[in-house]
Structures are given as structure tokens and as C-alpha cells.
Amino acid sequence: MRHLFIASLCIFTAIIQTNAQTIEQATHLMDTWLDAQKDYNKWPSISVSFVNDQELIYSRSFGGATPDTLYRIASNSKLFTALAILKLRDQGKLNLDDTIEKHIDWYNIKQKFDQSDPITIKSLLTHNSGLPYEPDLPYWSYRDGYPFPSLDELKQGTSKIETLYPVNEKYQYSNLGFILLGQIIESASGVSYHQYVHEQIIEPMGLENTFTNVDASKHGNELAVGYGKLDRKQTRMEVPFIDTKATTSAAGISSSANDLAKFLMWQLRAIDGKGDEVLKQGTFREMTRAHAVDTGSSMDVGYAFRTNYRGGKSYIGHGGVMTGHTSQTTIEPGAKLGAVTLMNTHDTSPLQINYVMMDVFGPVLKADNAPSQYDFSEYQGFYDNQPWGDESYIMQWGDNLISFYLSSSNPINAITKFRHLEGDKFIRLNDDGTEADVMTFLRNEVGKVMSYKDQSDYIYKKD
């Protein structure tokens, strides 16, 4: 019996190995799902990229964009601002315990709490300064023409506001805090925010398509036009070009999926604690470890970088939402993986799309991707499940067939597997690997697969 168990174990291991899907299959699944999601959600466009350490595995765009199309990365700009602050610290030009007043002589926000500690650079980086979310300015209002403030207008917009909480008492996400960090960068460096970030952060990373002050002439050309949420008529409002002016350090940078893939590759190098021309040894690890906690979302907060937890894994990155644009950069340090999603609308979570790429590509990269001994391509295609269900897709996945609904928010969670029996017959596999009912494909008079029989129903392949 013991020998039988060992033999069975060897057979089971062999099955697992030969059932490993390939990068080509994972790429095809992502292409098919994202293209369908674009249509289901009426996205104007989406650009994504995925890296395995220092290798670009996947780079795609849908909806007329390219992986080099520029998008406003919104609050992902805060990562570049935080890197600039730590670079200045490494250069000895500031200290994270410095107060705002040490670097900004016009700072005029009232501290409402007499017993509060002073607001420091560190508390700005971790959103624990007690400052409000925004200055008292209506620059997000389309009805007012998105009047983003100049520096003089910013000074006026902070002159009558006060702190919400004592320092380090409560996590309060603050664009205002990162706007002030941009001013601190200028004061400590002696040059403009744009010049310092380009020369000290963007250029040394080899980013050639990332801009702190993107030119208005690129709008609708290299830069994707932004759109609002779907209204009840299933249309979207077009958003005009926005000059973020004095708020650039919080939300104004523009970049592409391919350039941000390079940004993630740099992060995956730096997470090992190695220094380079951007930061000293260990500085990036200092930035990404927890310095505060957002109790509302169970998220650890570093210096701008944030850590989310999912399925026992930690993911480091940041999101961004700006009028007409959304972005998400994510690395999984333990697996050396990174994902980017950029969209020119904001009614879908780009973080969820990054998670899908992690779920699709991650297991493939760890598997023994031996070529399959089968070719099930004739069964592959779109199938019409109306009126009972949405459009589904059938494709080869290792040595199996899989089916998933294209409207699913995560195709990996929606997969049904089928193992080949004989001829055109496949047997459905339950999640625990046990067998269920048989699915039989049907052909027309010339032998082309036209449908399959699912119990008492016939599901037809779409042309």
C-alpha cells in the first residue's frame, strides 16, 4: 500500500507539472478579458504593464491608446515627491524632523491644538500631520473651470484654514501636505520642483516619457483625453486639459505604462536595500516600511508608499484619481512582480486590474511551463450564453480547457476547468479536483466546432 501511495503521488505531481499554463496562454487570457472589460465598462482607453523583476512580461493598451500613451498619474505623483524629499535628506539638505516653518517662510496654517507637536516633514510624508485634505480652493470643480492655484493663490487658500487634528493622532490623507512638500523641495534644493525631480529622480531612472509639467499641446495627442464617469445615458463627459500649477507635487505628473514599468523595475532593485544614483543604500526600504497605519483600510503607510494585504501577500504601491484619469502602481516584493494600470476615466478600480495581472501571471512564472501535449485550439472562442448568462470564453490552459465569463471582475476566480476525456468530450472539474458532468462539443457538416452541450442546454460559438 505504501508503494502504491508513492506511485500515486508521483503521478499526481506529474499531472500538476504538465497542467502548467504558459506565458502565451496567460497573455491571451489577459488580452481577451481586458478587451471585453473595455467594452462592458465603456472605458475610453486603458494601458497596462507587468514586470517580472527586471523583465517586461506584458505591455498592452486598448481603446486607441498605446503603452507609450501619456496619462495623468494623479496621486502616484506623491511617490516621486517622496523620493525627492528622501534624496534631499540623503544629500544632507533637510531632516525629516524639520518643521514646515524651517523651509517655508510663508506657511500660515493655524495650529488649532495647543498641545500638538509641530508638523514635521515626516508627518507630511505619512499623512499624520493633522492637515485638511485640501486647501480652501475649489480647483476640482469643473463648473469653475478647474482653477488650479498658482503659488500666490495657494498662499491665499491656506491663510484661513486650520489643522483638523493634533500631529500623529489620526491618519488623514492630505493633498495639501504633499503640495507643501513640493514647496519644501524647492526651498531645500534651490531649484524648481520640476527641475529637481527631473534631474535627480526621473532621468537617473531612465524614464523618458514621464513629465512633471506636461505641455498642453500633448492633450489629445500623446496625452490621453480624460473622461468622467458614465451617466445614466451611458455617456461620459470630456475633461479639458488641466495645468496643476502649484499642486503638481501632489497630483500633476504624467507618465505611460511602459515608463512606469521601468519605475517598478527600479523599485524591485531598490527593495533589496541596494543604493544607486537615486537613493542611498537602505533608503527605499526605509520609505516602504510601515511608519503609520490607516485603521480605516488596514493599510500600512510608509513615506508616501502604502502597503495593502491580500491572500497572505503584501503589495506596495500607490493609486491615483484625478478628474478624468486613474492610475495604480503595485509591486509584490516577495515575488519580485510589478503591475501598472492607467485609465482615462475613473469608475473602475485600477488596483483590482493590477491584482488580476498578479493572479494571472504570478503562478505561471513560478510553474514548470512544459509544452502541452494537446492542441485544443479548435474549441477556443467566444460562446453566447444568452439569455441565462453573459458572453463566455473558452481557451486552452495547460493541458485543460477553461471557461470564464468575460464580464467577471477577476477571470481567475471565474474559471471552470475541463479535462479531456476522448474525442470532443471533456469532463468538468470541481474546485477540489473531483470530476463533475461531461461537456460535449458539437460540429457542423464540415467538422467545424459550432457549440457544446451543457447538460440539457446548447451553447453556441459566436462568429
Side-chain angles (χ1 to χ4, degrees):
M1 180 66 72
R2 180 174 180 272
H3 294 297
L4 178 60
F5 172 77
I6 293 174
S8 298
L9 180 60
C10 292
I11 292 171
F12 179 74
T13 302
I15 290 172
I16 292 295
Q17 291 175 342
T18 57
N19 278 343
Q21 59 272 25
T22 65
I23 287 291
E24 291 75 18
Q25 290 169 352
T27 297
H28 183 67
L29 186 152
M30 281 302 308
D31 285 349
T32 303
W33 179 76
L34 279 173
D35 187 54
Q37 288 288 302
K38 169 186 64 68
D39 293 337
Y40 277 109
N41 296 288
K42 298 186 183 299
W43 297 335
S45 74
I46 178 172
S47 294
V48 299
S49 58
F50 189 85
V51 301
N52 178 28
D53 199 356
Q54 302 306 298
E55 182 181 4
L56 181 62
I57 296 295
Y58 186 69
S59 177
R60 291 288 193 277
S61 292
F62 302 87
T66 77
D68 292 317
T69 294
L70 291 171
Y71 294 79
R72 311 304 288 264
I73 66 171
S75 285
N76 260 291
S77 305
K78 294 179 173 67
L79 300 186
F80 291 86
T81 297
L83 287 166
I85 288 287
L86 270 292
K87 175 77 171 182
L88 287 163
R89 193 281 307 271
D90 284 355
Q91 292 173 333
K93 295 182 179 180
L94 57 76
N95 191 297
L96 299 190
D97 292 325
D98 289 347
T99 63
I100 298 177
E101 291 87 347
K102 182 175 179 178
H103 296 278
I104 304 178
D105 56 11
W106 57 262
Y107 178 72
N108 54 9
I109 298 174
K110 180 183 177 182
Q111 175 54 263
K112 187 167 65 173
F113 303 92
D114 294 337
Q115 302 303 312
S116 174
D117 293 330
I119 298 175
T120 63
I121 292 174
K122 181 177 180 179
S123 66
L124 294 176
L125 287 168
T126 59
H127 298 284
N128 277 269
S129 64
L131 289 173
Y133 189 96
E134 304 279 7
D136 186 20
L137 295 166
Y139 51 86
W140 293 111
S141 173
Y142 80 89
R143 293 174 180 85
D144 295 321
Y146 303 108
F148 276 66
S150 65
L151 180 57
D152 286 340
E153 290 167 333
L154 175 64
K155 294 176 182 178
Q156 296 173 11
T158 58
S159 62
K160 296 180 181 180
I161 63 175
E162 57 186 14
T163 57
L164 298 179
Y165 312 103
V167 174
N168 294 326
E169 180 180 276
K170 185 179 178 64
Y171 176 87
Q172 167 63 50
Y173 190 84
S174 178
N175 279 333
L176 174 57
F178 272 77
I179 293 170
L180 294 172
L181 285 172
Q183 295 302 308
I184 291 172
I185 289 168
E186 295 196 350
S187 174
S189 68
V191 298
S192 71
Y193 172 85
H194 305 287
Q195 182 178 341
Y196 188 83
V197 172
H198 268 282
E199 291 181 353
Q200 301 293 324
I201 308 297
I202 292 173
E203 290 178 7
M205 287 184 186
L207 308 184
E208 300 175 345
N209 203 22
T210 299
F211 306 94
T212 57
N213 51 348
V214 65
D215 192 88
S217 64
K218 294 183 182 294
H219 182 70
N221 298 302
E222 297 99 322
L223 175 66
V225 174
Y227 293 88
K229 287 191 174 185
L230 284 172
D231 61 21
R232 65 192 299 172
K233 296 180 181 178
Q234 299 296 289
T235 61
R236 296 183 185 274
M237 173 190 295
E238 183 176 321
V239 177
F241 176 80
I242 294 173
D243 182 351
T244 53
K245 299 180 183 176
T247 72
T248 294
S249 55
I253 293 178
S254 301
S255 190
S256 66
N258 277 344
D259 237 29
L260 290 178
K262 296 178 186 178
F263 181 43
L264 296 191
M265 291 179 192
W266 176 86
Q267 292 180 36
L268 291 169
R269 294 193 301 271
I271 200 71
D272 288 335
K274 300 174 183 177
D276 64 3
E277 63 274 18
V278 179
L279 295 180
K280 287 184 177 180
Q281 184 174 356
T283 298
F284 185 70
R285 295 186 72 175
E286 175 190 355
M287 294 184 70
T288 54
R289 70 171 179 255
H291 294 278
V293 177
D294 176 10
T295 55
S297 62
S298 300
M299 176 180 62
D300 289 340
V301 182
Y303 297 152
F305 288 88
R306 300 186 284 187
T307 302
N308 293 295
Y309 300 92
R310 171 179 177 262
K313 299 176 181 179
S314 60
Y315 300 90
I316 297 172
H318 209 288
V321 181
M322 186 178 180
T323 306
H325 289 259
T326 50
S327 67
Q328 182 71 46
T329 58
T330 308
I331 62 170
E332 184 190 341
K336 289 282 191 177
L337 302 176
V340 174
T341 296
L342 301 173
M343 307 176 71
N344 57 339
T345 187
H346 43 76
D347 50 7
T348 301
S349 167
L351 177 59
Q352 295 306 313
I353 297 171
N354 280 2
Y355 283 154
V356 171
M357 287 191 280
M358 293 285 185
D359 291 346
V360 170
F361 290 111
V364 179
L365 294 166
K366 297 176 183 178
D368 179 10
N369 297 314
S372 174
Q373 58 184 308
Y374 301 109
D375 179 7
F376 298 142
S377 57
E378 60 183 334
Y379 305 108
Q380 180 173 293
F382 301 90
Y383 287 79
D384 186 1
N385 294 269
Q386 291 289 352
W388 305 106
D390 296 321
E391 182 182 30
S392 62
Y393 193 76
I394 291 178
M395 61 175 285
Q396 187 160 348
W397 198 242
D399 287 343
N400 295 321
L401 278 183
I402 60 170
S403 173
F404 60 92
Y405 284 112
L406 290 165
S407 60
S408 169
S409 60
N410 188 330
I412 292 297
N413 295 337
I415 280 176
T416 300
K417 289 185 179 181
F418 301 89
R419 182 173 61 81
H420 186 232
L421 289 177
E422 60 180 2
D424 291 326
K425 292 185 177 181
F426 292 77
I427 191 163
R428 190 190 311 268
L429 301 177
N430 295 316
D431 291 340
D432 61 3
T434 58
E435 297 178 346
D437 53 296
V438 173
M439 176 175 69
T440 303
F441 286 91
L442 306 174
R443 300 175 182 269
N444 62 13
E445 62 276 6
V446 296
K448 182 180 178 181
V449 173
M450 298 297 293
S451 64
Y452 67 86
K453 184 179 181 182
D454 182 16
Q455 299 183 44
S456 61
D457 198 5
Y458 292 89
I459 310 299
Y460 286 87
K461 194 174 184 181
K462 301 176 70 174
D463 293 334

